[in-house]
Amino acid sequence: MAAVMLQGTGSDVGKSVLVAGLCRALANRGLTVRPFKPQNMSNNAAVTADANGNWGEIGRAQATQALACRTEPTVDMNPVLLKPQADRTSQLIVHGRVRGTLAAGNYREARAALLGDVMASYRRLRAQCDVVVVEGAGSPAEINLRHGDIANMGFARAAGVPVVLVGDIDRGGVIAAIVGTRAVIDPADAAMIRGFLINKFRGDPALFEDGYRDIARLSGWRGFGVVPWLAETVRLPSEDGVVLERRRSASSGRLLVACPITPRIANFDDLDPLKLEPEIELAMIPPGRPIPAEAALIILPGSKATIADLAAIRREGWDIDILAHHRRGGAVLGLCGGYQMLGRRIADPHGIEGPPADVAGLGLLDVETILGGDKMLRHVSGTALGARCDGYEMHIGTTGGPDAARALVRLDDGRGDGASSADGLVAGTYIHGLLADPGQRAAWIARLGGVGGGVDYRASVDGALDAIAAALERHVDIDALLALSAQAGDRE
């Protein structure tokens, strides 16, 4: 079956969005499409299932790309996922399940052994569809990482998948980035690249015609198009922490919701639905800045290393801001790791997320957490604040205590999840995706004295994918990309 791979001249050049848009464009043409990313590194993940129905996790971007294909996400779409945690280590997820924890140097040595897992997933996907759209990671120009590579040219050559190189013109230097990639990579790798795409162009594309021709002349690769700046991208779920500090909701609503950016923040796409609310201004607070005193709600998001991130909150003085906010009658919501931080105590006796530790939490909820056991992965539905919610659990450990008797969420199976304080100002839950449902957001906004806008977040994401696909149809030679994809075939 056919396949094409988008690699980038660097991180954050827009590969994930272009793959999602191309997947939707091809699906709109009536083709059966599947997304694939051999190796991802992200603490924003989605819960999905393998071919046998067992729960697993993949990168959030691949779940969005599956939506673009109008298919259910599976663990084969992202067979290797690295989730960075404290002390320069990453949790290694293979086919959706934890396989261990590796230091950066160890992973570079061990990753070549994962190529078999990657190829097995790719071949299963390829058998299911007309075309696979593959996303690389980082850049093939990082030649210091080439040995044992499974994310870019290592995969492309093993699978015989032709590559299109994506350059980001918005950051500047796109001619040098593309031509320079050709200059530094191995000739056999360069032979896999059949063309380039220019992404994030602002203004009149005619102004770049000379530069476009220069890239083709100097690289020897053909151009497949110039993609304009896609405003709809902000409506897609967040994945990459690189852009966090630049993100602020388009709305400047009267109710400020503040979220501190911790070093190992995870699944911060949980906050994306708030950007649809006209009464809400969402502020992601970077290190070095206080949490604004005027915040109506502080949200502590998920974390890949809860104890380490709690220590970071204290180093920044954010704990003082949070406690002062609560004393003034402000609301606080903790999601997953943020929920754990709100309790009296967090214990990691086995060193699951870092060195073994037992630390005091923020003390705003009368609960305590013990980290241990298998990772909980499952989709859940229930009711909170009198409104429906649908989401997923993705956590290690158990949390319990007196405030858990006032569960924030009553799940459909009768279980309670999370906790609420006696004064009603503080709440926490393990459920990711809590705020995706418009009724649930409206209930929280009503607590803050506002009115929800009623926008369906999932429909907004789907509409954004259609708009991006339509833009690619106008500005990219998709027919030529399809013809190129037909040349794919295993080589090594």
Side-chain angles (χ1 to χ4, degrees):
M1 291 295 174
V4 65
M5 185 175 194
L6 300 190
Q7 296 184 20
T9 56
S11 296
D12 195 31
V13 300
K15 298 185 299 293
S16 295
V17 171
L18 292 180
V19 168
L22 184 56
C23 284
R24 175 55 62 90
L26 296 177
N28 285 346
R29 291 183 174 204
L31 297 170
T32 303
V33 192
R34 295 291 182 268
F36 184 67
K37 185 161 187 173
Q39 172 198 301
N40 200 351
M41 177 177 282
S42 176
N43 276 333
N44 273 15
V47 171
T48 183
D50 64 15
N52 299 315
N54 299 313
W55 293 114
E57 55 184 308
I58 62 174
R60 165 58 57 192
Q62 281 62 65
T64 302
Q65 291 160 0
L67 174 64
C69 296
R70 299 191 177 93
T71 190
E72 289 296 317
T74 70
V75 294
D76 279 334
M77 294 174 182
N78 177 205
V80 178
L81 174 63
L82 298 173
K83 305 187 79 172
Q85 55 190 35
D87 299 324
R88 299 182 181 179
T89 61
S90 292
Q91 188 178 69
L92 174 63
I93 311 292
V94 180
H95 291 150
R97 307 298 296 183
V98 177
R99 188 172 285 188
T101 301
L102 293 173
N106 291 338
Y107 179 69
R108 289 181 61 178
E109 297 172 1
R111 61 185 175 171
L114 297 171
L115 183 59
D117 297 296
V118 166
M119 291 300 298
S121 286
Y122 169 68
R123 288 174 180 134
R124 282 192 291 267
L125 285 180
R126 191 178 60 184
Q128 299 170 12
C129 64
D130 299 314
V131 59
V132 180
V133 184
V134 186
E135 179 186 344
S139 170
E142 297 165 332
I143 56 176
N144 55 308
L145 302 178
R146 177 61 178 90
H147 178 71
D149 167 63
I150 61 172
N152 289 307
M153 288 303 176
F155 167 78
R157 288 176 62 177
V161 175
V163 174
V164 175
L165 190 66
V166 178
D168 176 1
I169 196 169
D170 187 60
R171 66 174 60 181
V174 72
I175 296 174
I178 295 176
V179 177
T181 297
R182 171 67 186 240
V184 301
I185 62 176
D186 181 89
D189 288 348
M192 298 302 301
I193 300 177
R194 309 299 177 82
F196 62 90
L197 274 170
I198 304 298
N199 196 25
K200 304 183 187 179
F201 189 88
R202 300 177 190 260
D204 182 359
L207 298 176
F208 190 63
E209 288 180 355
D210 289 344
Y212 192 78
R213 286 193 294 267
D214 286 339
I215 293 174
R217 175 176 57 83
L218 293 169
S219 69
W221 299 323
R222 64 154 294 177
F224 285 94
V226 177
V227 181
W229 184 269
L230 300 169
E232 296 83 359
T233 297
V234 300
R235 292 160 55 193
L236 299 183
S238 305
E239 184 193 50
D240 196 338
V242 170
V243 300
L244 258 183
E245 294 182 22
R246 302 201 299 269
R247 291 224 171 189
R248 200 174 180 102
S249 62
S251 170
S252 55
R254 64 185 185 88
L255 297 171
L256 179 65
V257 175
C259 174
I261 304 173
T262 54
R264 290 294 176 259
I265 188 172
N267 289 74
F268 49 83
D269 58 301
D270 283 341
L271 283 72
D272 284 353
L274 293 173
K275 294 184 288 188
L276 299 175
E277 296 293 341
E279 291 214 50
I280 295 294
E281 179 179 3
L282 175 63
M284 304 300 293
I285 310 302
R289 296 184 187 176
I291 297 175
E294 66 271 23
L297 172 66
I298 295 174
I299 296 181
L300 299 184
S303 170
K304 190 64 194 70
T306 305
I307 291 176
D309 272 356
L310 179 57
I313 284 175
R314 290 189 163 114
R315 285 195 305 272
E316 293 293 331
W318 287 333
D319 59 327
I320 298 171
D321 296 339
I322 294 166
L323 296 175
H325 168 81
H326 176 251
R327 285 195 300 271
R328 293 190 298 267
V332 183
L333 172 63
L335 302 173
C336 199
Y339 167 36
Q340 295 172 342
M341 294 179 196
L342 291 174
R344 291 183 286 104
R345 170 178 174 250
I346 308 170
D348 186 1
H350 306 296
I352 291 173
E353 293 189 346
D358 193 322
V359 303
L362 295 174
L364 292 178
L365 287 175
D366 192 3
V367 296
E368 61 179 40
T369 297
I370 309 296
L371 300 179
D374 293 333
K375 182 179 285 191
M376 178 63 70
L377 298 169
R378 59 185 169 190
H379 288 157
V380 292
S381 298
T383 302
L385 306 187
R388 292 294 300 170
C389 59
D390 297 280
Y392 59 95
E393 292 183 58
M394 179 185 294
H395 66 91
I396 289 177
T398 57
T399 300
D403 281 352
R406 289 183 292 271
L408 175 62
V409 182
R410 182 59 56 187
L411 299 174
D412 289 344
D413 63 8
R415 292 182 301 116
D417 179 88
S420 301
S421 62
D423 62 12
L425 293 174
V426 184
T429 177
Y430 275 120
I431 297 178
H432 294 288
L434 177 76
L435 300 172
D437 292 87
Q440 186 62 214
R441 291 198 307 279
W444 283 96
I445 294 171
R447 275 194 163 193
L448 304 177
V451 179
V455 178
D456 187 320
Y457 173 67
R458 296 178 179 90
S460 174
V461 171
D462 199 64
L465 289 168
D466 274 332
I468 291 168
L472 296 188
E473 287 282 9
R474 292 192 299 270
H475 298 283
V476 175
D477 191 343
I478 294 180
D479 290 335
L481 287 177
L482 268 177
L484 178 64
S485 72
Q487 300 176 25
D490 288 3
R491 294 184 177 183
E492 295 182 3

